[in-house]
Every structure is written in structure tokens, then in C-alpha cells.
Amino acid sequence: MGRENKTIYAILGFLNHEDLSGYDLKKRIDGSLSYFWAAGFGQIYPSLNLLERNGWVSKKAEDKEGGREKILYSITESGRKELLTWLSTPVEKEYVKFEILLKLFFGSQIKADKNIENVKDFKDRYIGQLGILKHFDENLRNHLGESEDHLYYLLTVLFGEKLYKAYVEWADEAIEVLENSKKNNKGGELN
Amino acid sequence: MGRENKTIYAILGFLNHEDLSGYDLKKRIDGSLSYFWAAGFGQIYPSLNLLERNGWVSKKAEDKEGGREKILYSITESGRKELLTWLSTPVEKEYVKFEILLKLFFGSQIKADKNIENVKDFKDRYIGQLGILKHFDENLRNHLGESEDHLYYLLTVLFGEKLYKAYVEWADEAIEVLENSKKNNKGGELN
DNA sequence: TCGATCATGTAACCGGTTACATGATTGT
DNA sequence: ACAATCATGTAACCGGTTACATGATCGA
């Protein structure tokens, strides 16, 4: 599972820009990281406590006329140092699980058409996602230069586009291979 | 986290071919699924117990002259039914976390060169993996037709190749963008 | 009035990882 | 003699998800 709570770095990263509450952090994460790094309240609030115990963030209740109290967190100097250290550390190997592949690996046990259907479902999902990413992409390109950050945001979007395109291309190939295998039962011609 | 232990289907899938022990299952998984679905002993043995409690597998001690006892598991009729049902069910949305993107998202906080280094590390890892997959690919193509299974195995390998190629292509683009941003500080020209 | 949003948290649970315990056999 | 492999498991722990509890404000 990666053995270390890296969501704390997502939190530190945002707090490095501005003071935020747990609720705000959730919105920031949902709005920009969620495609490759999601987090729920059940993880954010405990993580904030952990960060505070480590002295990497400090909290203060925001004065607020009316409404529920809001707790704002600020990054500390040692928190900023921790963030920068982590940013400069080489990435660990990612660990990915693809249910679609687990299903296909044992696919000979069911009809080819069923497998094709599963692959099509998979494909359609990412065609939809590609459309969303395209908007992000265009938006970011229009605002490049306003802030150096946008360049980095764009790099993450480019990754998503490459990734989802690879999914879709693979799905098309897989569907073709499976369609062929229905006709010539002896394994189907490849290439 | 996906909310359901899908590793049991990896186990059922292999047991559908032949009776195996927990130890054997680990080797099967390491040898063919581990690129997209890993499992340790600490998960396999408890999962086998769960499968048995559900009546999806049955166990029998294998007679063995000398050496430690070996427990062989066999899939039951209801286990086979469960496997086939799952195989025919549409895949759930996969949930992937990319630490490299989390780092890059906040990349403006450190030197461009450090980010480039991180991306290069990422790239090199997958260039290596691509070499390994190429061997799998060639091997499988040479044995297509021997069993229908090989066609399905090949589809999972094709996925890996597409995926890792996408990683590498993105890395090259990202490195180029970051190199450019070092020269023209105003965000770097894209396209 | 009613649902959405703002806002903070806790508890139960589950999947998965790591470390540990145990001990025989086989190959160098 | 010693390391690797065969072989089965347990316990502690951790990251993460889901559901629950609570209550105010704001717009339709």
C-alpha cells in the first residue's frame, strides 16, 4: 500500500499556498488532484491532526460571525521543509491494480462477447474522461504565464491524456483481437 | 480501496485450472499477474480460509513422503459459478494513485532540474519494464494456438506495453517542457 | 419548507503489507 | 556448514472507505 501516508504531502502542498480548513482542503483536492490522488474527510481530518502533532502545521480557529466555527491550518517552517524534502525525493514505484486485466487474464472461461463487452465498458469510461481532461488542458494553456504553477498543473493533465489515450487504444486493439478470435478459432491472427 | 477483496478471484481463477497450495498460488501470481495484481502470503492464506468458509474451495492435505505437509485447494462447483459470474460483471472504475503527479503538481516549489530528475527516474523504471514485457510478448506469440488462454494472457501484456509506452512518452514530453521553462522563464512555449 | 452546502469529526471496518515464528529439504 | 527454497500461518499495523452524528446557513 505504499507504506506511507503521502496524502499529508497533498495537504502540505496546498497549505503552502494559503491557510485552509479541512473542508477547504477537500475541495481543493477534489478539484485538481482527484484524478490521481483522492482523499475523503475520513482521511483529511486525521491527517491534519497527525501533521499538527508533528509540528508541520498549526491550527487556529477563524473568527467567524455566525455559522459553525472554522479551523484554519497554516504550514509551519518545519512543515515547509518537510514538503520540499519530499518533493526532491525520487518517486517510489507505483503500485497499480487493474481489475479489467484480472478479468481478461481468465477470460477464456467465458464467451468472447462478454469479454468484448467488458473492454467496451472500460473504453467508454475513459473516452468520457478524455473529454473532461481536454477542457482542463485548454483552460490551462490559456492561462500559462500567469503563474509558474500552471505549467506544472498542465504536466499532470498531459499525463492523464496520455494515459487515457493508451487505455482507449489498447481497448480498440483488444476488441479487434477478440472479434477475430471468434472467427478463426485457432487463436486469431495478430498483426 | 475498492471495497471488495478481488484477490479471491485471482485465486479462484488459478484453482479453476488445477489444484494448488497457497505456496503454489503465490508463485503463479508472482509469475503472471504481479504486474497488475500482486498478493503476499499474508493475504493469500487468509483469503483461502475465506473462500473455504464460503464453500467456494475445498481443501485436502496432500500425501507427501517427507517434508512439510502441503495443503491442496480445489475449486468447488459453487466456486466456479462465482468465478464465472464475476468474470461476466462489468469492471468497476479503477482507482490509481500516481506519486509522480502529486510531486509534479507542487513542482514549482523546487528547482526545475530536480523535477526533471524525478521524471527521468520514473521514465527509466518503465523502460526497463518494457524490456521485460517484450520477452513475454514474443514468448506468448510463439505459443498462440496451443491454448486459448495464451490469447488472453497476451492481451494483458499488450496493455502493459501500451501503458508503459504512454508513461515513457509523457516523461519525454514533460522533460522537454521543463527544459524549455528553464530558458524562457515566462512559462515556456508549448507546441 | 426543504434540500444543498458549510463545517468538523468519530467509529467500524476492510484490504493489504511487514515482520515474525517454525521447521524440513535440497543444493553448493 | 550454510543458504535457498519449500511450506503454512499469525499478529500488528496502516492507509483508506463508508457510514454516522451534529448542526448552522442560504437559496429556491
Side-chain angles (χ1 to χ4, degrees), chain B:
Chain B
M1 202 162 298
R3 200 96 299 271
E4 217 199 328
N5 178 359
K6 282 160 196 154
T7 298
I8 60 166
Y9 296 109
I11 294 173
L12 285 177
F14 282 115
L15 292 182
N16 192 41
H17 282 286
E18 50 180 332
D19 293 356
L20 292 167
S21 65
Y23 194 84
D24 296 331
L25 279 163
K26 175 73 156 63
K27 280 192 293 181
R28 292 286 189 291
I29 292 171
D30 284 350
S32 49
L33 298 185
S34 60
Y35 287 96
F36 54 88
W37 208 277
F41 286 123
Q43 208 194 342
I44 291 171
Y45 287 116
S47 291
L48 281 166
N49 285 333
L50 179 80
L51 284 166
E52 206 207 350
R53 283 203 302 281
N54 283 10
W56 293 336
V57 306
S58 62
K59 68 169 154 180
K60 53 170 184 261
E62 188 193 35
D63 291 349
K64 229 193 147 193
E65 51 279 0
R68 187 168 183 181
E69 93 267 52
K70 191 173 176 175
I71 299 167
L72 279 186
Y73 290 85
S74 319
I75 195 167
T76 63
E77 251 325 293
S78 84
R80 199 178 136 70
K81 215 178 139 190
E82 175 67 21
L83 173 65
L84 296 182
T85 302
W86 174 76
L87 284 175
S88 305
T89 305
V91 278
E92 286 168 37
K93 188 177 186 293
E94 37 281 303
Y95 211 4
V96 192
K97 294 207 162 186
F98 288 101
E99 195 193 355
I100 180 78
L101 298 186
L102 189 55
K103 283 209 162 107
L104 223 45
F105 190 83
F106 300 114
S108 69
Q109 300 303 302
I110 55 170
K111 288 209 184 90
D113 281 329
K114 253 294 166 200
N115 289 311
I116 291 171
E117 218 179 281
N118 286 339
V119 174
K120 273 185 180 155
D121 278 0
F122 176 84
K123 177 188 166 186
D124 289 343
R125 177 146 62 232
Y126 290 103
I127 285 181
Q129 298 281 303
L130 271 171
I132 299 168
L133 282 184
K134 204 184 160 197
H135 287 124
F136 275 109
D137 185 319
E138 285 163 6
N139 246 315
L140 280 169
R141 281 176 201 268
N142 288 336
H143 294 284
L144 276 179
E146 284 176 25
S147 152
E148 208 200 336
D149 286 317
H150 292 339
L151 188 72
Y152 288 93
Y153 300 163
L154 183 59
L155 290 180
T156 68
V157 173
L158 291 178
F159 185 97
E161 293 181 289
K162 269 265 153 57
L163 183 70
Y164 295 165
K165 271 178 202 159
Y167 287 173
V168 170
E169 279 172 32
W170 167 81
D172 283 332
E173 274 184 39
I175 290 165
E176 210 195 308
V177 168
L178 290 171
E179 290 287 0
N180 278 337
S181 83
K182 284 200 293 180
K183 289 157 206 159
N184 29 351
N185 242 21
K186 278 229 145 315
E189 311 297 314
L190 297 183
N191 286 0

Side-chain angles (χ1 to χ4, degrees), chain A residues 49-60:
Chain A
N49 285 333
L50 179 79
L51 284 166
E52 205 207 351
R53 282 202 303 281
N54 283 10
W56 293 336
V57 306
S58 62
K59 68 168 155 182
K60 55 169 184 261

Side-chain angles (χ1 to χ4, degrees), chain A residues 15-68:
Chain A
L15 292 184
N16 191 42
H17 281 286
E18 50 180 332
D19 294 355
L20 291 167
S21 67
Y23 194 85
D24 296 331
L25 278 163
K26 175 73 158 59
K27 280 193 292 181
R28 292 286 189 291
I29 292 172
D30 284 351
S32 48
L33 299 184
S34 61
Y35 287 96
F36 55 87
W37 209 277
F41 286 123
Q43 209 194 341
I44 290 170
Y45 287 116
S47 291
L48 282 167
N49 285 333
L50 179 79
L51 284 166
E52 205 207 351
R53 282 202 303 281
N54 283 10
W56 293 336
V57 306
S58 62
K59 68 168 155 182
K60 55 169 184 261
E62 189 193 34
D63 290 348
K64 231 194 144 192
E65 51 278 0
R68 186 167 184 180

